[in-house]
Amino acid sequence: MKLVHTIGCALVAMSALGTLAVACKDDPSSSGNGPPSDGPLRHTSWRRARLLISDANERKVHIFDVEDDEVIGTLNLDDLGPISDVASSESGNLGILRAKGGTVAAFVTSGVAIIDHVDHIHIYKSAPKLLPSRLEAELSLRIVARDGALGVFRENRDQAVLALLKEDDVLGNRDASAPDASDAADASDAADAADAADAPNTRNAADATDTSNARNAADATDTSNARNAADATDTSNARNATDATDTSNARNAADATDTSNARNATDASNARNAADATDTSNARNATDASNARNAAEAPSTTDTSNTRNATYRSPTQLEPRHRGIVVPMRGGALRTKPTTEGAPDRVSIELQSASGAPERTLGTCTFTGGAAATRDHVIFACADGLLRLSFAGDTGAPEPSRLAYPAGMSNTPHTLLAHYERGVAIAQTGPQQWLRIDPAGGATAFSLPAGSGDVCTMAIEPGRGEQVLALTTDGTLRAIDIATGNAVQSLLVVAPFTCEAGSIHPHLALAPERAYVTSPSTGELVDIDLRTLRIAARKRIAGAPNAITAVGLDVKNLNVAPGAAHDGF
């Protein structure tokens, strides 16, 4: 377990833990780790980023740690076959690996977690792990990972299967990204070690002993009534709550001695949704899970060893076969349902509760497969325009509106991408055309400069979201101002290539202020500094690096850090 402790912009040694406390906006050339930089100080979240890189020649995925500046591990995936696509969950906790034409998905933990202490943050790192959970479909599989859940749409030959899957269930009680108890015992010398002893109300992890009032945590002995935890004596098969000794009326809490009516607390060795209990047979999200967020170092009581389609938050729903999607949203979901209007892709968009109960039909459209979510909006791409759902505040009901496509657009979009904070979304609509969808409503079409190659991959820079990056088939990375649509810079990064779905070709992944392009033909990873649009380094990667994604980056706190350039954005 590795801990990086960021306080303002100072450098502090943490010898007691054998770890390093580094500046929130430090120059990596001064830290002894990471690639050198002669430009501006790097984005505050750069140390969190890890890259999942598939090998086109072998059934492997390499994990590249940006801070360590090297491959830190390789996953062997003989049971899956070659990996054709990789993606990250919105939280950055999960990497999603696709194989067999996208009909099978496997999952890997990022091994990265943070705790935000307002005046500083802790970054915890551990080894990524391939999880046993698998999802499969006969024809196509769509996964939307956001709001702590995975919306799963499986298209089979005779029907569609829709469900919500908790991200924590996929992690299977063995979340390698959670801080470990061993990081707490000797934390006495750590700078501002708020997570050491008596660290009440620590979110996601408290690094110590006797952390009373830990959020959603139950403790070792006599831990009854723990939410998502089975407790101590004779509490087998308890889901969400079971009474033990002297634990009357404890809400979401495991009461040890004389701790009645404690909420979300009691001597909980820092486990979120985890209990360190004795005889916790059949406990959900629990078993000897000290300091782990939804994790247990002991054998998991959810028995994920044979999880093919893990425990769903809401009941699995069967519908006639159609092109559809499930988008997790504030505990429930937005999901498609085929209409009776006759068109095969004509669907209604329905709001459903966490239990799976339908609540409201929000509109109908001929769905093309694209959807994207920001903090306040969810946008669906339809053949006859965009269906935009706006949410007012944290509890407001979604309000639908329709956005017409601009004139002259070549194709309707099949993929939408969005920036969570900025609220803007983009879509590729032609070989050299793209669409910007504004948070206030309205859509504008843009084209690349004359003479450009065709767009293979487009994405929004995930930090401030001021740039669109386009990797084109002439081997060029183009930086585009998202506000004006103008291509402001370009850089030749790889040789010209052919871009076809499922083929071996260069791929693009983004971290804040950084771009990474794979080069299968040369066995390289090209690291590009987006502040200057210069190549920072070319890294040798074993095999033929192909598909790539960045993990470890939670879109909801990417820019969190005291004194950082993006603080308060």
Side-chain angles (χ1 to χ4, degrees):
M1 176 70 63
K2 178 179 181 180
L3 165 66
V4 175
H5 184 162
T6 69
I7 310 175
C9 292
L11 182 66
V12 181
M14 299 178 66
S15 58
L17 293 178
T19 56
L20 179 69
V22 294
C24 64
K25 278 177 51 186
D26 56 303
D27 184 339
S29 63
S30 67
S31 70
N33 290 315
S37 172
D38 57 0
L41 300 181
R42 294 186 68 165
H43 186 276
T44 180
S45 66
W46 77 275
R47 292 181 181 276
R48 294 193 239 168
R50 284 176 167 173
L51 306 174
L52 303 181
I53 307 169
S54 72
D55 187 337
N57 292 340
E58 300 188 52
R59 298 177 177 186
K60 295 180 178 180
V61 169
H62 305 293
I63 300 101
F64 184 94
D65 189 287
V66 171
E67 179 187 9
D68 292 342
D69 196 30
E70 64 182 0
V71 172
I72 60 169
T74 297
L75 304 174
N76 293 311
L77 304 164
D78 291 337
D79 64 320
L80 287 178
I83 301 300
S84 57
D85 182 55
V86 292
S88 174
S89 65
E90 182 185 72
S91 67
N93 291 335
L94 279 176
I96 303 169
L97 316 177
R98 291 178 178 272
K100 299 179 181 179
T103 60
V104 176
F107 304 92
V108 59
T109 64
S110 67
V112 179
I114 76 161
I115 303 174
D116 179 12
H117 291 293
V118 182
D119 62 331
H120 66 278
I121 61 174
H122 291 177
I123 302 173
Y124 294 87
K125 289 186 175 181
S126 57
K129 294 181 181 179
L130 181 65
L131 299 171
S133 299
R134 299 287 187 273
L135 291 173
E136 299 182 20
E138 294 176 353
L139 299 178
S140 67
L141 176 65
R142 293 187 183 92
I143 301 173
V144 179
R146 67 180 311 272
D147 270 5
L150 278 68
V152 179
F153 183 92
R154 294 185 291 160
E155 185 181 1
N156 295 329
R157 291 183 178 86
D158 56 350
Q159 64 185 3
V161 183
L162 295 77
L164 273 177
L165 177 64
K166 285 186 180 179
E167 189 170 299
D168 290 340
D169 287 339
V170 177
L171 290 169
N173 294 337
R174 300 191 62 84
D175 183 0
S177 67
D180 186 84
S182 61
D183 287 335
D186 296 323
S188 57
D189 293 330
D192 194 7
D195 295 323
D198 294 318
N201 297 307
T202 302
R203 182 180 179 185
N204 293 339
D207 300 335
T209 306
D210 193 20
T211 56
S212 58
N213 296 308
R215 181 179 178 185
N216 292 326
D219 72 354
T221 306
D222 289 326
T223 55
S224 61
N225 290 311
R227 181 181 180 187
N228 291 329
D231 55 54
T233 308
D234 293 325
T235 58
S236 59
N237 295 300
R239 180 180 178 184
N240 296 334
T242 304
D243 289 337
T245 304
D246 238 345
T247 57
S248 57
N249 298 310
R251 180 180 178 187
N252 292 332
D255 288 38
T257 305
D258 291 325
T259 55
S260 58
N261 296 303
R263 182 178 180 184
N264 291 331
T266 302
D267 195 13
S269 298
N270 300 311
R272 182 181 178 189
N273 292 330
D276 221 7
T278 305
D279 189 22
T280 55
S281 56
N282 296 304
R284 183 178 179 191
N285 290 333
T287 303
D288 195 17
S290 58
N291 295 307
R293 179 186 176 191
N294 295 321
E297 290 303 318
S300 168
T301 55
T302 53
D303 190 19
T304 59
S305 57
N306 292 303
T307 305
R308 304 300 294 176
N309 295 297
T311 307
Y312 285 107
R313 176 192 294 182
S314 62
T316 298
Q317 298 167 327
L318 303 179
E319 297 286 359
R321 178 183 166 188
H322 68 284
R323 178 183 291 170
I325 200 166
V326 179
V327 181
M329 176 57 63
R330 302 183 181 186
L334 300 167
R335 50 151 288 183
T336 54
K337 184 179 180 67
T339 68
T340 58
E341 298 177 19
D345 296 323
R346 192 71 182 174
V347 299
S348 60
I349 308 297
E350 295 192 345
L351 175 67
Q352 72 175 36
S353 67
S355 66
E359 293 186 349
R360 181 183 168 194
T361 298
L362 300 168
T364 61
C365 81
T366 302
F367 185 54
T368 62
T374 68
R375 180 170 48 201
D376 302 316
H377 309 284
V378 178
I379 305 165
F380 293 87
C382 308
D384 50 350
L386 298 163
L387 177 60
R388 181 171 176 266
L389 306 176
S390 302
F391 291 78
D394 293 334
T395 59
E399 292 300 328
S401 60
R402 302 302 294 252
L403 301 177
Y405 290 127
M409 198 174 69
S410 300
N411 301 296
T412 56
H414 291 267
T415 302
L416 296 178
L417 302 169
H419 190 275
Y420 179 82
E421 288 185 334
R422 185 171 288 277
V424 67
I426 64 169
Q428 184 180 346
T429 58
Q432 297 183 3
Q433 291 183 323
W434 62 283
L435 185 71
R436 186 191 68 218
I437 305 153
D438 299 316
T444 308
F446 297 100
S447 296
L448 295 183
S452 301
D454 292 345
V455 174
C456 184
T457 307
M458 296 190 80
I460 303 174
E461 189 277 327
R464 291 186 65 84
E466 295 176 342
Q467 290 180 314
V468 173
L469 283 302
L471 179 63
T472 53
T473 54
D474 54 6
T476 299
L477 182 67
R478 302 180 188 278
I480 302 166
D481 186 296
I482 199 167
T484 65
N486 295 328
V488 293
Q489 287 180 295
S490 62
L491 175 70
L492 183 65
V493 290
V494 293
F497 61 94
T498 300
C499 181
E500 295 180 358
S503 67
I504 300 171
H505 61 77
H507 287 73
L508 170 69
L510 299 181
E513 300 176 350
R514 218 72 175 184
Y516 300 93
V517 176
T518 56
S519 177
S521 62
T522 62
E524 292 178 312
L525 172 68
V526 187
D527 178 1
I528 301 114
D529 188 336
L530 295 180
R531 299 161 301 178
T532 59
L533 207 68
R534 292 171 53 192
I535 294 176
R538 291 182 180 270
K539 327 264 187 194
R540 296 293 302 177
I541 303 293
N546 189 34
I548 184 173
T549 194
V551 295
L553 301 168
D554 189 333
V555 301
K556 295 182 179 180
N557 60 36
L558 262 182
N559 299 313
V560 170
H566 307 319
D567 193 31
F569 168 70

